[in-house]
Amino acid sequence: MSANSKRIKFVSISLPVLYGNHAYKLTPEKRKSNTPPDHTHEWTVFFKPVLGDIDLTPLIKKVTFKLHETYENPIRSIEHPPYQVTETGWGEFEIIIKLHFHPGVDLGINEKNFQIFHALKLHPYNPQHPKRENGEVHSILYDELVFNEPTDKVFEILTRKPGNLIPYKLSNPDKRDQEYIRPDENDELGRMDLYIEKIKKEIETQAIEYKKLEQEKLALENTK
Ligand code: SLL
């Protein structure tokens, strides 16, 4: 086992990602001379890390987008960011987005690949809903790529630019690997503390209010 392929036990690194599609109605001006007449929309399907400055090329060899068989060369292979495919068409279908990692890179011992099934959206979910101008549609989902017990190499790549991972509380050097947390999680924990405080106060206020009402009720009953 090379030094690079040693796994870091009890550690997961989560990488926030976005995927989905944008779609626009094809207006006569936007049509090209070779746009098939039955095509009604132009769309772009994409996969990207939430944090734009993270370079995934050391991990990802390529991203493939498997389109409907009605398309020529339905499997589109993209080796460099932006990982996206722009096409025109008339119908909605499921696109399979597959991440192909470099040799030695995986999401965990039993999880080699990552596949996403994205339902291409051309039409708004609710046609009654106030429409966006020119009928554009954005169907974007959030997910997290979780690297379980990453190898030293993957860990090093993901923490190279500590943009999405910051160390918190450095104590025991042996446990330092476990002390990484994303800033948004930190923020969230902070917000939760705040809300818990608010809820506690609210419960106290309600309890006092309740006691007051109880006493009023008792007083009323006693006068009867
Ligand atoms: C449907 N089951 O009937 C789906 C199929 C196929 C979409 C949608 C055109 C491709 C091309 C295209 O939009 N195909 O002409 O290259 O709705």
Side-chain angles (χ1 to χ4, degrees):
M1 197 186 268
S2 82
N4 270 347
S5 62
K6 200 164 78 31
R7 287 184 184 272
I8 305 168
K9 284 256 164 222
F10 313 116
V11 172
S12 292
I13 302 185
S14 155
L15 182 76
V17 297
L18 293 171
Y19 65 88
N21 79 274
H22 307 292
Y24 308 90
K25 268 193 188 148
L26 273 173
T27 55
E29 307 84 69
K30 279 197 222 143
R31 279 179 188 283
K32 299 202 181 84
S33 54
N34 59 350
T35 307
D38 59 340
H39 285 195
T40 52
H41 290 76
E42 178 179 286
W43 50 260
T44 298
V45 60
F46 66 88
F47 168 87
K48 64 178 182 187
V50 171
L51 299 149
D53 58 348
I54 287 197
D55 177 18
L56 296 183
T57 52
L59 300 174
I60 296 176
K61 195 170 85 188
K62 61 178 180 181
V63 177
T64 53
F65 296 85
K66 189 165 181 281
L67 312 182
H68 195 264
E69 303 88 75
T70 43
Y71 283 91
E72 246 177 73
N73 312 316
I75 300 175
R76 307 291 168 86
S77 183
I78 312 293
E79 291 187 6
H80 303 283
Y83 300 112
Q84 63 182 48
V85 171
T86 298
E87 265 293 354
T88 62
W90 49 263
E92 299 182 334
F93 56 92
E94 189 172 70
I95 298 178
I96 303 174
I97 306 171
K98 189 170 174 182
L99 308 189
H100 302 255
F101 296 111
H102 283 294
V105 177
D106 57 47
L107 298 175
I109 293 170
N110 295 313
E111 286 167 278
K112 302 287 174 208
N113 289 315
F114 192 73
Q115 279 200 121
I116 299 163
F117 299 85
H118 174 66
L120 175 71
K121 292 286 306 167
L122 301 185
H123 310 288
Y125 289 94
N126 179 357
Q128 259 76 50
H129 206 71
K131 279 196 191 123
R132 284 176 190 268
E133 265 175 68
N134 61 36
E136 62 187 72
V137 168
H138 305 278
S139 175
I140 299 163
L141 288 113
Y142 171 87
D143 206 342
E144 287 177 10
L145 265 187
V146 182
F147 293 85
N148 289 307
E149 306 207 325
T151 58
D152 284 348
K153 182 181 152 202
V154 169
F155 185 85
E156 191 272 318
I157 292 166
L158 285 167
T159 55
R160 197 176 280 169
K161 259 201 205 157
N164 71 330
L165 294 164
I166 52 158
Y168 75 100
K169 201 178 86 186
L170 286 177
S171 51
N172 183 346
D174 294 335
K175 288 190 181 157
R176 223 166 258 181
D177 294 346
Q178 297 167 38
E179 292 174 348
Y180 280 77
I181 190 165
R182 296 203 317 274
D184 51 343
E185 277 177 2
N186 255 342
D187 289 353
E188 193 150 348
L189 288 175
R191 279 201 300 277
M192 276 167 70
D193 282 345
L194 213 86
Y195 291 137
I196 288 168
E197 252 336 283
K198 271 193 179 169
I199 290 166
K200 265 193 200 155
K201 284 228 174 76
E202 187 59 27
I203 290 171
E204 274 169 29
T205 316
Q206 292 291 337
I208 293 168
E209 187 69 13
Y210 180 78
K211 259 189 201 149
K212 236 169 73 189
L213 287 170
E214 272 288 284
Q215 276 162 4
E216 279 175 22
K217 194 178 141 204
L218 271 177
L220 263 176
E221 275 171 5
N222 287 339
T223 56
K224 266 185 202 159

